[in-house]
Amino acid sequence: MDVDSGGRGLNEDGTIRREGSLSRVPAAFAPVVAAARSRITGAFDGTRLHSAYIYGSIPRGTAVPGVSDLDLLLVLRTRPTEADEAAARAVEAGLDAGFGQIDGVGALLTSTDAVTSELERHDLGFFLACLCTPLLGEDLAGRLPHYRPTPLLARETNGDLVLSLPRWRRRAAGATTDAERRNLSRGAARQIVRSGFTLVMPRWQGWTSDLAEAAEVFARYYPDHPVRIEQMRLAAHTGRNPSADPAVLSTLIEDLAPWLAAEYVAVHGEKAPRP
């Protein structure tokens, strides 16, 4: 049975509802979020930082202590410099070392011009407006449109999967530890599931960041591809439970991802090239 728009992550007018809220942060992660706010403020003064956001399982309220990572987006007033990158890496290291609740920290850096640009409107702009929760500063979502689950959004968010394949293959070939393989499997699996979901998102007319649900939405529209369905379910599982098994990496990177990348371009076309 189909669910209503509210159950599909949409507002009553059919636009994608912003997911996540500071009010949903699990109690175990509240000190982490507070420390993130403090460390970011200390690392970037008001002349550099425009705003900061948290995204992922922590603001969605689904984070698991000791398993989930902390994801941050830092928007600077001008293009990030090497010094900014170094400051962000220091914030990551300090938070990761200070809290056992989290398994890794990732801080993305960008600028206000990039977020609000026409080129990034349906990629980075959508990401901030719908998938990120404000933590510090002015919320740039107010400068961005309301988004719908359209083919344009599908193309611009994940129409470049093919560009990830060479990088994943290099990392897989160069991985010498289980930790490296698990880290690669988690990142690749998540991107693959997101791509599988957005491939069919305009037909489903909804939004979800839940990996298991995303895999099942994909399955609904590819019933004649049982092998791909099982591989997508494997990717959803691996995104939540990273694997160091080379066979899992091979299935995801050498089999599922190339097929998905080709199918994506055939259905939605290629993402607009970036400089």
Side-chain angles (χ1 to χ4, degrees):
M1 178 182 296
D2 286 343
V3 293
D4 60 22
S5 61
R8 294 193 182 194
L10 302 181
N11 296 307
E12 291 184 359
D13 64 356
T15 57
I16 296 174
R17 184 174 61 241
R18 193 177 212 171
E19 62 177 30
S21 167
L22 293 181
S23 65
R24 298 181 191 171
V25 173
F29 293 93
V32 181
V33 174
R37 183 183 285 109
S38 176
R39 285 181 177 271
I40 293 169
T41 301
F44 299 91
D45 62 29
T47 65
R48 291 302 298 140
L49 183 72
H50 174 276
S51 49
Y53 307 79
I54 183 172
Y55 65 96
S57 61
I58 292 179
R60 291 200 304 268
T62 60
V64 178
V67 175
S68 298
D69 53 357
L70 173 66
D71 297 308
L72 301 166
L73 174 66
L74 310 182
V75 182
L76 305 183
R77 297 185 183 278
T78 58
R79 181 179 299 181
T81 65
E82 290 187 4
D84 295 325
E85 292 285 352
R89 302 295 81 80
V91 169
E92 291 175 342
L95 291 170
D96 196 22
F99 296 93
Q101 301 97 309
I102 51 176
D103 181 20
V105 181
L108 302 178
L109 283 178
T110 187
S111 68
T112 55
D113 284 348
V115 171
T116 58
S117 69
E118 186 66 30
L119 183 63
E120 292 291 345
R121 179 155 301 191
H122 286 84
D123 187 9
L124 184 57
F126 162 74
F127 174 67
L128 183 148
C130 294
L131 307 185
C132 291
T133 296
L135 188 64
L136 288 165
E138 176 203 352
D139 181 9
L140 282 172
R143 304 190 197 178
L144 296 164
H146 299 290
Y147 295 90
R148 297 178 182 274
T150 62
L152 172 61
L153 184 63
R155 184 178 73 241
E156 291 305 304
T157 52
N158 289 291
D160 59 350
L161 177 62
V162 67
L163 300 181
S164 297
L165 301 183
R167 182 176 70 253
W168 290 345
R169 286 166 174 157
R170 287 193 299 269
R171 289 180 61 189
T176 58
T177 67
D178 283 351
E180 289 175 324
R181 295 185 188 93
R182 281 193 294 268
N183 187 52
L184 172 58
S185 74
R186 175 165 63 179
R190 291 180 178 183
Q191 184 173 344
I192 287 169
V193 176
R194 287 195 298 268
S195 298
F197 167 70
T198 52
L199 173 65
V200 302
M201 172 190 66
R203 297 166 66 187
W204 188 59
Q205 278 298 292
W207 178 268
T208 182
S209 287
D210 181 271
L211 296 178
E213 183 180 23
E216 295 311 312
V217 172
F218 167 85
R220 180 183 304 185
Y221 295 97
Y222 279 84
D224 297 332
H225 293 71
V227 172
R228 301 305 180 191
I229 289 172
E230 290 308 311
Q231 289 176 335
M232 194 64 71
R233 287 169 175 160
L234 171 65
H237 176 79
T238 304
R240 301 187 306 272
N241 305 277
S243 173
D245 186 349
V248 171
L249 280 173
S250 179
T251 295
L252 298 181
I253 296 173
E254 300 297 342
D255 193 356
L256 177 57
W259 172 85
L260 182 58
E263 183 73 2
Y264 213 100
V265 171
V267 173
H268 295 303
E270 295 183 6
K271 180 176 182 174
R274 267 52 176 172

